[in-house]
Amino acid sequence: MAAPREWLGAVEKEGNSGLQGSSGVEVVFPSDPATPAPLCPHGPTLLFVKVNQGKEESRRFYACSACRDRKDCNFFQWEDEKLSEARLAAREAHNRRCQPPLSRTQCAERYLKFIELPLAERRFCQRCQQLLLPDDWEKHREHWVVGNISAGQLGRPSQLLRPLENKKTNAQYLFAERTCHFLVDLLPALGLTRVLCVGTPRLHELIRLKASGDEKSNIKSLLLDIDFRYSQFYMEDSFCRYNMFNHHFFDGKAALEVCRTFLQEDKGEGVIMVTDPPFGGLVEPLAVTFKKLIAMWKEGQSQDSSHKELPVFWIFPYFFESRIRQFFPSFCMLDYQVDYDNHALYKHGKTGRKQSPVRIFTNIPPSKIILPSEEGYRFCPLCQRYVSLENQHCEHCNSCTSKDGRKWNHCFLCKKCVKPSWIHCNLCGHCALPDHSCGAPKDGCFICGELDHKRSTCPQITASKKVIKAVRKQKQRKSKKTKMETVKEQSMNHTSVTRKKKRRERAHQYLCS
């Protein structure tokens, strides 16, 4: 989870720094790609395009799907760029060097050897973030090594490993115990027995710990995560290294089949996907990936079950609601506040704007999901769902309208509820912050200005292109006309000067004679 994605710097370094005005970068998914996307250390790259308001899209380029900072992955290639054999070979060698030193099979073999060691010989290198076998001790003699690694510590690797905290690449903010226990306790009530944990390592740990300590618990889980360090704590059937931005399994078809088998077990009954993507990730590639996982689940469904949906918990900030519902219209947002152990701001219990903005988006009917009353949640009989205590039902909107946990106010001019800190602006014609800039460019579509979609899906895109083309042709005709008039004027001026010069010469000859 991190700040919004900033691909603009990557484009500017490639020679586009002169572009001005409202701009952005969008991901492009060709309907019929002629060639596969080039590979970087994080799998297939994504195709992007930089767009400016009022201008057609510029040259398209490939860049890393997982890293937003080119210092972490500097892959960049124009879509129409042709690479030499030497450059392709150098790129393949670079991709191999960036992969983990041990294969998935080697990590599993080392884990089996490690758990057979006596407690006094179980060591973990904090510097290298690696479980050590006796043969490794000499190499790590000068490092910070922790001993006596217990079975409990092996079962909670997210507490043993150091969280990755590069906000522009792969920041790991881990669920607090409160959130983990809420999710785990909710599963049996919903009749769910298997959890596909996409980027939720702490939830995966708690499910496995509960299953091992409670004979009545029959819940199983599979973790998909890009952090290769988890490979040394799990066998192949419980962890797959996976990039959720491009649906890439780093260990190939074997890992893909593990995921497919997990989703289609018991004809796909009783399984849910819980995902907690980095907040800096673009919503569209995430949605495309999740739809591929859903399609994988549907492959195991019978024709009679074609109307069913794979239950999903997508954990994301509330201000992405319109973007998520654009791709998954059946999803709704729960009021439950998700908090994290190692994030300074996303904490439960804070009030006002300081409380966590992270919510759960799901296609499970909200009336079936009971939120804990001891944390201040209550059931709204009119909305038929649990809401936060401050989320009051609006009789004009006929809904509990608050999104951020505060009590919202109804604006009769806007005909909707708005945040308590907003006031109605007569110049803009809608509610906004008191110190907002009137007429400032908005986020959303660069063509029509609406916030519920992007330029690539704008219904006015065809008309806009026609207008741009017509304006461009008009400018070209005007420019051509101006040039012709300038040339004609220069020619006329030259003729006039020549005639005046000849008249002066004849007058001079007459006077001299």
Side-chain angles (χ1 to χ4, degrees), residues 403-471:
K403 306 293 184 183
D404 60 4
R406 295 179 292 170
K407 182 181 178 181
W408 285 22
N409 302 322
H410 188 83
C411 176
F412 291 94
L413 296 175
C414 293
K415 297 181 180 180
K416 64 178 182 180
C417 287
V418 297
K419 295 180 180 180
S421 56
W422 288 17
I423 60 173
H424 193 84
C425 176
N426 294 323
L427 293 176
C428 296
H430 60 79
C431 289
L433 289 170
D435 58 348
H436 74 284
S437 299
C438 295
K442 304 175 182 178
D443 294 331
C445 180
F446 290 138
I447 294 174
C448 67
E450 294 295 330
L451 303 178
D452 59 348
H453 64 268
K454 292 291 186 179
R455 177 203 59 84
S456 57
T457 57
C458 182
Q460 301 181 22
I461 190 168
T462 304
S464 176
K465 285 186 176 181
K466 288 181 179 179
V467 171
I468 292 172
K469 194 173 182 180
V471 171

Side-chain angles (χ1 to χ4, degrees), residues 254-405:
L256 175 64
E257 288 306 315
V258 168
C259 181
R260 190 192 306 276
T261 301
F262 184 85
L263 286 172
Q264 297 180 5
E265 184 180 338
D266 295 333
K267 297 181 180 179
E269 294 293 328
V271 64
I272 183 174
M273 180 176 73
V274 181
T275 179
D276 183 31
F279 295 166
L282 295 175
V283 173
E284 189 169 1
L286 289 171
V288 170
T289 289
F290 298 155
K291 287 183 178 180
K292 289 179 180 178
L293 291 172
I294 293 172
M296 190 186 298
W297 169 79
K298 278 194 172 182
E299 291 173 3
Q301 298 284 298
S302 62
Q303 292 184 351
D304 297 337
S305 305
S306 58
H307 65 283
K308 292 185 178 180
E309 291 186 12
L310 171 68
V312 177
F313 281 170
W314 182 344
I315 297 168
F316 228 47
Y318 71 83
F319 37 80
F320 283 99
E321 181 182 18
S322 61
R323 289 289 289 155
I324 291 176
R325 295 198 64 181
Q326 178 184 340
F327 297 102
F328 296 99
S330 64
F331 280 26
C332 64
M333 188 180 76
L334 304 181
D335 267 23
Y336 185 82
Q337 292 183 20
V338 177
D339 58 339
Y340 299 85
D341 266 351
N342 57 329
H343 198 291
L345 299 179
Y346 298 166
K347 299 286 187 181
H348 173 70
K350 294 186 177 181
T351 58
R353 298 188 63 181
K354 294 182 179 181
Q355 56 194 315
S356 172
V358 188
R359 302 290 185 270
I360 299 174
F361 296 88
T362 182
N363 52 358
I364 299 175
S367 58
K368 295 184 178 181
I369 301 175
I370 301 175
L371 303 186
S373 58
E374 62 272 14
E375 294 182 9
Y377 298 101
R378 60 179 180 81
F379 185 77
C380 176
L382 298 175
C383 294
Q384 284 294 296
R385 70 184 182 99
Y386 281 82
V387 297
S388 62
L389 192 61
E390 294 295 324
N391 193 357
Q392 300 297 314
H393 192 89
C394 176
E395 59 181 8
H396 306 288
C397 299
N398 193 26
S399 174
C400 293
T401 53
S402 174
K403 306 293 184 183
D404 60 4

Side-chain angles (χ1 to χ4, degrees), residues 11-60:
V11 183
E12 288 177 343
K13 291 181 180 179
E14 296 300 326
N16 291 334
S17 58
L19 296 173
Q20 301 292 331
S22 178
S23 62
V25 175
E26 295 182 4
V27 65
V28 180
F29 291 96
S31 57
D32 184 23
T35 57
L39 301 177
C40 76
H42 303 92
T45 54
L46 293 179
L47 184 62
F48 294 91
V49 62
K50 184 174 184 292
V51 293
N52 279 336
Q53 189 172 13
K55 295 184 180 180
E56 287 183 316
E57 57 186 51
S58 59
R59 196 176 177 187
R60 304 198 295 190

Side-chain angles (χ1 to χ4, degrees), residues 126-137:
Q126 292 279 12
R127 176 176 171 182
C128 302
Q129 297 285 281
Q130 180 183 341
L131 294 174
L132 302 181
L133 296 176
D135 294 341
D136 305 321
W137 292 353

Side-chain angles (χ1 to χ4, degrees), residues 196-262:
L196 182 67
C197 297
V198 185
T200 58
R202 186 154 285 182
L203 177 64
H204 176 65
E205 294 171 3
L206 189 60
I207 291 173
R208 288 171 59 85
L209 284 175
K210 189 170 183 179
S212 63
D214 186 357
E215 295 180 356
K216 296 181 180 180
S217 177
N218 61 343
I219 300 178
K220 298 188 294 185
S221 66
L222 172 65
L223 175 61
L224 307 184
D225 199 283
I226 198 171
D227 190 351
F228 70 89
R229 299 178 302 171
Y230 286 105
S231 299
Q232 58 188 321
F233 294 92
Y234 299 116
M235 302 300 291
E236 291 96 327
D237 60 348
S238 57
F239 170 73
C240 300
R241 190 173 176 230
Y242 178 75
N243 184 347
M244 71 176 76
F245 290 102
N246 56 11
H247 188 55
H248 176 66
F249 289 87
F250 288 88
D251 295 302
K253 291 184 178 179
L256 175 64
E257 288 306 315
V258 168
C259 181
R260 190 192 306 276
T261 301
F262 184 85

Side-chain angles (χ1 to χ4, degrees), residues 17-185:
S17 58
L19 296 173
Q20 301 292 331
S22 178
S23 62
V25 175
E26 295 182 4
V27 65
V28 180
F29 291 96
S31 57
D32 184 23
T35 57
L39 301 177
C40 76
H42 303 92
T45 54
L46 293 179
L47 184 62
F48 294 91
V49 62
K50 184 174 184 292
V51 293
N52 279 336
Q53 189 172 13
K55 295 184 180 180
E56 287 183 316
E57 57 186 51
S58 59
R59 196 176 177 187
R60 304 198 295 190
F61 62 94
Y62 290 102
C64 179
S65 63
C67 300
R68 299 185 310 282
D69 194 330
R70 295 193 67 197
K71 294 178 181 178
D72 300 299
C73 184
N74 62 359
F75 187 98
F76 186 95
Q77 179 182 324
W78 295 114
E79 182 187 24
D80 54 359
E81 185 178 0
K82 302 298 181 183
L83 301 183
S84 64
E85 293 295 330
R87 284 190 63 187
L88 289 173
R91 176 179 292 172
E92 291 180 5
H94 172 72
N95 291 346
R96 286 194 298 270
R97 288 194 302 270
C98 292
Q99 296 309 309
L102 299 175
S103 68
R104 187 71 185 88
T105 304
Q106 289 173 321
C107 288
E109 292 174 352
R110 286 175 58 88
Y111 176 74
L112 293 175
K113 293 179 181 178
F114 188 87
I115 59 177
E116 292 177 355
L117 294 173
L119 184 62
E121 295 183 7
R122 293 181 182 179
R123 301 180 183 181
F124 178 76
C125 179
Q126 292 279 12
R127 176 176 171 182
C128 302
Q129 297 285 281
Q130 180 183 341
L131 294 174
L132 302 181
L133 296 176
D135 294 341
D136 305 321
W137 292 353
E138 182 61 28
K139 298 178 184 177
H140 300 263
R141 186 166 52 87
E142 302 296 330
H143 298 176
W144 179 19
V145 175
V146 179
N148 299 328
I149 303 300
S150 65
Q153 289 176 296
L154 289 175
R156 302 300 299 265
S158 69
Q159 296 180 354
L160 192 61
L161 295 170
R162 182 174 57 250
L164 303 175
E165 295 183 347
N166 186 339
K167 292 185 178 181
K168 292 187 177 181
T169 307
N170 46 17
Q172 290 178 327
Y173 296 121
L174 305 167
F175 288 151
E177 289 294 306
R178 161 190 165 270
T179 296
C180 277
H181 283 283
F182 166 74
L183 293 172
V184 172
D185 294 342

